[in-house]
Amino acid sequence: MKIIAKTDIGLVRATNEDTFTYVVKDENNFMAFVCDGMGGHLGGSYASSKTVDFLNDAYAKLDPATPIKNVGVWLFDTLQAANEYIYEQSLANENLKGMGTTVSGVIMVNGDIYYAHIGDSRIYAYSKDSLQQVTTDHTYVNTLLLNGLITFKQAQKHPKRHVLTNALGIKRKVSVDIGQIRLKDDENLLICTDGVHNLLDGKKLTKLLNEEIDIELKINMIKEKVLSLGGLDNITLILVEK
């Protein structure tokens, strides 16, 4: 596996509230996550960076000789611990009130890939002719769309399209989407914040992801494309390629 990550403040935001992490233990064991903080530049950055700290600390404590018995439980417990800490900090510190963060990422354990997802950052599986969104956006507008109350075209321009229905740190208990990803032989992974997918639709992403160039050149090309389209938000993405 080749893994590379990139983050950029973009062209509009005053600060970068996105955070990412990836840790590779060996060819069959790694972790990769992105977080997009919210709640003002101080709170948003704090929430996203602390969540990454919890993930890194928990992953570092894993013993390679003792595999995780239940990866889903490990993911939930780790993110719930981060959630409780961030929630308590938001109550204790006025400057951090209302903070929270999205979380989306994967962990590979002995060759099997599992994902955890909260919010509207995304995980995609992609191949030469396909781009499949693995996660479901936790947004008000996506709820309307899934219930047939609005059309896809209406969702694209809805005034509440950025309103989250779920985020880490906003309640004492958090709901986490957890599952397994079974990649086909020719499939790879993209993990990104909404600063990427809000400006690059499926067609544009598919074209960029399938450029036959080095992975480092590819991730820079995607970032530059988002900037060329306005760079309206922080930009963070991780590519995982075989």
Side-chain angles (χ1 to χ4, degrees):
M1 286 286 184
K2 295 180 180 178
I3 305 178
I4 191 167
K6 183 74 66 173
T7 190
D8 191 282
I9 194 172
L11 301 176
V12 175
R13 303 287 188 180
T15 57
N16 191 346
E17 297 176 86
D18 288 0
T19 314
F20 70 83
T21 183
Y22 70 91
V23 183
V24 180
K25 291 192 174 181
D26 55 47
E27 187 69 16
N28 293 309
N29 293 274
F30 70 83
M31 178 185 73
F33 276 84
V34 301
C35 297
D36 180 358
M38 62 183 193
H41 75 278
L42 181 60
S45 298
Y46 186 88
S48 64
S49 62
K50 277 297 180 181
T51 299
V52 161
D53 288 345
F54 269 84
L55 285 162
N56 286 338
D57 290 347
Y59 194 62
K61 291 175 183 176
L62 293 178
D63 183 354
T66 308
I68 305 174
K69 291 182 179 179
N70 189 315
V71 179
V73 170
W74 183 88
L75 285 166
F76 178 80
D77 287 348
T78 301
L79 293 175
Q80 178 59 35
N83 180 81
E84 290 178 3
Y85 178 85
I86 291 166
Y87 179 73
E88 292 297 336
Q89 290 298 308
S90 73
L91 296 179
N93 189 331
E94 185 66 27
N95 292 324
L96 302 176
K97 185 178 180 180
M99 69 175 171
T101 184
T102 72
V103 189
S104 293
V106 299
I107 178 173
M108 177 186 272
V109 179
N110 296 328
D112 294 324
I113 301 175
Y114 303 84
Y115 73 88
H117 166 71
I118 305 168
D120 65 349
S121 294
R122 290 180 180 176
I123 302 170
Y124 293 95
Y126 65 92
S127 60
K128 186 175 181 180
D129 301 310
S130 171
L131 180 72
Q132 183 68 39
Q133 185 177 334
V134 174
T135 51
T136 299
D137 295 347
H138 297 156
T139 61
Y140 172 72
V141 165
N142 197 50
T143 300
L144 296 178
L145 183 62
L146 292 174
N147 285 284
L149 300 176
I150 60 173
T151 65
F152 179 77
K153 187 175 182 180
Q154 290 172 325
Q156 297 299 100
K157 296 184 178 181
H158 197 285
K160 294 185 178 181
R161 62 188 178 278
H162 302 305
V163 176
L164 295 177
T165 55
N166 189 27
L168 187 147
I170 60 173
K171 297 179 181 178
R172 193 171 297 278
K173 298 294 182 180
V174 68
S175 174
V176 188
D177 290 352
I178 294 172
Q180 188 169 359
I181 303 175
R182 292 180 172 86
L183 294 178
K184 297 175 183 177
D185 290 342
D186 62 341
E187 284 187 316
N188 299 300
L189 291 172
L190 164 67
I191 310 167
C192 66
T193 57
D194 66 342
V196 176
H197 65 72
N198 279 341
L199 292 180
L200 294 177
D201 60 21
K203 186 176 180 180
K204 290 188 179 76
L205 265 177
T206 301
K207 182 179 179 181
L208 292 167
L209 289 167
N210 286 289
E211 290 285 342
E212 295 185 4
I213 56 177
D214 179 79
I215 190 172
E216 187 168 351
L217 294 174
K218 185 182 296 186
I219 201 169
N220 282 323
M221 180 178 63
I222 295 172
K223 183 202 75 172
E224 292 302 322
K225 183 64 175 178
V226 175
L227 291 173
S228 74
L229 294 171
L232 304 177
D233 201 350
N234 303 147
I235 303 162
T236 302
L237 64 156
I238 301 175
L239 293 178
V240 180
E241 295 194 345
K242 298 172 185 175

